[in-house]
Amino acid sequence: MPSTHTSLHYHLVWSTKNREEWFPAPMRSRIHEYLGGCLRTEGGFCHAVGGVGDHVHVLVGLKPTHCLADVMQRLKSVSSRWMHEELKMPEFAWQEGYGAFTVGARDLERARDYVLNQEERHRTQSYQAEYVEMLKMGLVEYDERYLW
């Protein structure tokens, strides 16, 4: 076969440090747009960015040459610097880790809707409950002592 063809999509989720509410509703779209731009700069395809005051969700397509850990490190580093300098939030910080879940091509639209409807979801469910649910659905082993 003369070419390589891949379909590598991820649902990424991470929180602000200590799950502090840094993103009031009026500023979220600006932050989400910036994160999408960072992913495009990395060579990824940003399907959607959503979130609420203390965490973000990103649905992204990456190339097989991408290293997910490197993409996440750059995304969090660059966006944190931008928030310090551009948004004048010198105390802002992201949490140390992140969640990454693969998404099949057939489930992209459902995952996109999920990411874009975070405000509605969090009227009835906490970030912690949502994240544990995602871990269970993704068959990810975890130790509750190290989640929060």
Side-chain angles (χ1 to χ4, degrees):
M1 180 173 1
S3 298
T4 300
H5 305 94
T6 63
S7 178
L8 305 173
H9 307 278
Y10 300 91
H11 179 174
L12 308 172
V13 59
W14 70 97
S15 172
T16 60
K17 187 174 183 180
N18 300 320
R19 288 164 311 286
E20 293 178 19
E21 295 270 339
W22 279 96
F23 313 136
M27 96 174 358
R28 286 183 202 147
S29 63
R30 187 170 180 203
I31 292 166
H32 296 169
E33 288 172 16
Y34 187 80
L35 291 170
C38 290
L39 287 163
R40 286 186 290 278
T41 298
E42 287 291 318
F45 181 83
C46 185
H47 297 285
V49 180
V52 292
D54 65 349
H55 71 282
V56 295
H57 290 254
V58 174
L59 183 61
V60 63
L62 296 177
K63 298 175 184 173
T65 54
H66 282 116
C67 170
L68 180 60
D70 291 345
V71 169
M72 285 302 301
Q73 187 277 326
R74 284 189 295 273
L75 178 61
K76 289 168 70 176
S77 174
V78 168
S79 63
S80 182
R81 186 175 332 113
W82 178 77
M83 287 184 224
H84 294 167
E85 295 171 2
E86 184 69 25
L87 300 182
K88 308 299 184 218
M89 302 162 92
E91 303 298 316
F92 174 80
W94 293 116
Q95 73 174 49
E96 254 184 67
Y98 59 90
F101 307 90
T102 56
V103 178
R106 291 183 177 161
D107 294 323
L108 279 175
E109 194 57 38
R110 188 169 53 106
R112 185 177 184 282
D113 288 344
Y114 183 93
V115 167
L116 293 176
N117 290 302
Q118 284 296 298
E119 288 186 40
E120 183 178 319
R121 170 172 287 285
H122 288 291
R123 288 188 187 120
T124 59
Q125 185 180 41
S126 71
Y127 169 67
Q128 290 87 338
E130 174 190 42
Y131 194 70
V132 168
E133 182 180 296
M134 292 177 76
L135 292 171
K136 288 178 180 177
M137 288 177 58
L139 304 176
V140 177
E141 290 186 27
Y142 65 95
D143 186 332
E144 184 114 17
R145 295 176 297 173
Y146 303 110
L147 284 181
W148 322 115

